[in-house]
Coordinates of all heavy atoms in Angstrom, one line a residue:
Chain C
L181 N 18.7 -10.3 -5.4 CA 19.8 -11.1 -5.9 C 20.8 -11.4 -4.7 O 21.1 -10.6 -3.9 CB 20.6 -10.4 -6.9 CG 20.4 -10.7 -8.4 CD1 21.4 -9.9 -9.3 CD2 20.7 -12.2 -8.6
Q185 N 26.2 -15.2 -3.7 CA 26.2 -15.9 -4.9 C 27.1 -15.2 -6.0 O 27.9 -15.8 -6.7 CB 24.8 -16.1 -5.5 CG 24.7 -17.1 -6.6 CD 23.3 -17.0 -7.3 OE1 22.9 -15.9 -7.7 NE2 22.6 -18.1 -7.4
Q186 N 26.8 -13.8 -6.0 CA 27.6 -13.0 -6.9 C 29.1 -13.1 -6.6 O 29.9 -13.1 -7.5 CB 27.1 -11.5 -6.8 CG 25.7 -11.3 -7.3 CD 25.7 -11.2 -8.8 OE1 26.6 -10.7 -9.4 NE2 24.6 -11.6 -9.5
E187 N 29.4 -13.0 -5.3 CA 30.8 -13.0 -4.9 C 31.4 -14.4 -5.1 O 32.6 -14.5 -5.5 CB 30.9 -12.7 -3.4 CG 30.7 -11.2 -3.2 CD 30.6 -10.8 -1.7 OE1 30.6 -11.7 -0.8 OE2 30.5 -9.6 -1.4
A189 N 30.6 -16.3 -7.6 CA 30.9 -16.3 -9.0 C 32.1 -15.5 -9.3 O 32.9 -15.9 -10.2 CB 29.7 -15.8 -9.8
E190 N 32.3 -14.4 -8.6 CA 33.5 -13.6 -8.8 C 34.7 -14.4 -8.5 O 35.7 -14.3 -9.2 CB 33.3 -12.3 -8.0 CG 33.9 -11.1 -8.6 CD 33.7 -9.9 -7.7 OE1 32.7 -9.8 -7.0 OE2 34.5 -9.0 -7.8
A194 N 34.2 -15.4 -12.8 CA 33.2 -15.0 -13.8 C 33.3 -13.5 -13.9 O 33.4 -12.7 -13.0 CB 31.8 -15.3 -13.3
S198 N 29.6 -12.1 -17.7 CA 29.0 -13.5 -17.6 C 28.2 -13.6 -16.3 O 27.3 -14.4 -16.2 CB 30.1 -14.5 -17.6 OG 31.2 -14.1 -16.9
R199 N 28.6 -12.8 -15.3 CA 27.8 -12.8 -14.0 C 26.4 -12.3 -14.4 O 25.4 -12.8 -13.9 CB 28.4 -11.9 -13.0 CG 29.6 -12.5 -12.3 CD 29.8 -12.0 -10.9 NE 29.9 -10.6 -10.7 CZ 31.0 -9.9 -10.9 NH1 32.1 -10.5 -11.1 NH2 31.0 -8.6 -10.7
F200 N 26.3 -11.3 -15.3 CA 25.0 -10.7 -15.7 C 24.2 -11.8 -16.4 O 23.0 -12.0 -16.1 CB 25.2 -9.5 -16.5 CG 23.9 -8.9 -17.0 CD1 23.1 -8.1 -16.1 CD2 23.4 -9.1 -18.3 CE1 21.9 -7.6 -16.5 CE2 22.2 -8.5 -18.7 CZ 21.4 -7.8 -17.8
F201 N 24.8 -12.5 -17.4 CA 24.0 -13.4 -18.2 C 23.7 -14.7 -17.5 O 22.7 -15.3 -17.7 CB 24.7 -13.6 -19.5 CG 24.5 -12.5 -20.5 CD1 25.5 -11.6 -20.8 CD2 23.2 -12.3 -21.0 CE1 25.3 -10.6 -21.7 CE2 23.0 -11.2 -21.9 CZ 24.0 -10.3 -22.2
Y202 N 24.6 -15.2 -16.6 CA 24.4 -16.5 -16.0 C 23.7 -16.4 -14.6 O 23.1 -17.3 -14.2 CB 25.8 -17.2 -15.8 CG 26.3 -17.7 -17.1 CD1 27.4 -17.1 -17.7 CD2 25.7 -18.7 -17.8 CE1 27.9 -17.5 -18.9 CE2 26.2 -19.1 -19.0 CZ 27.3 -18.5 -19.6 OH 27.7 -19.0 -20.8
L203 N 23.8 -15.2 -14.0 CA 23.1 -15.1 -12.7 C 22.0 -14.1 -12.7 O 20.8 -14.5 -12.3 CB 24.1 -14.7 -11.6 CG 25.3 -15.7 -11.4 CD1 26.2 -15.1 -10.3 CD2 24.7 -17.0 -10.9
T204 N 22.2 -12.9 -13.2 CA 21.2 -11.9 -13.1 C 20.0 -12.2 -14.0 O 18.8 -12.1 -13.6 CB 21.8 -10.5 -13.5 OG1 22.9 -10.3 -12.7 CG2 20.8 -9.4 -13.2
V205 N 20.3 -12.5 -15.3 CA 19.2 -12.8 -16.2 C 18.3 -13.9 -15.8 O 17.1 -13.7 -15.8 CB 19.8 -13.0 -17.7 CG1 18.7 -13.5 -18.6 CG2 20.4 -11.7 -18.2
P206 N 18.9 -15.1 -15.5 CA 17.9 -16.2 -15.0 C 17.1 -15.7 -13.8 O 16.0 -16.1 -13.7 CB 18.9 -17.3 -14.6 CG 20.2 -17.0 -15.3 CD 20.2 -15.5 -15.5
H207 N 17.7 -14.9 -12.9 CA 17.0 -14.5 -11.7 C 15.9 -13.6 -12.1 O 14.8 -13.6 -11.5 CB 18.0 -13.7 -10.8 CG 17.4 -13.2 -9.5 ND1 17.2 -14.1 -8.4 CD2 16.9 -12.0 -9.2 CE1 16.7 -13.4 -7.5 NE2 16.5 -12.1 -7.9
L208 N 16.1 -12.7 -13.1 CA 15.1 -11.8 -13.5 C 14.0 -12.4 -14.3 O 12.8 -11.9 -14.4 CB 15.7 -10.7 -14.4 CG 16.3 -9.5 -13.7 CD1 16.8 -8.4 -14.7 CD2 15.3 -8.9 -12.7

Side-chain angles (χ1 to χ4, degrees):
Chain C
L181 255 183
Q185 191 194 53
Q186 293 278 330
E187 285 174 354
E190 214 177 328
S198 47
R199 287 209 303 274
F200 179 77
F201 282 109
Y202 289 108
L203 298 178
T204 310
V205 169
H207 181 81
L208 275 185

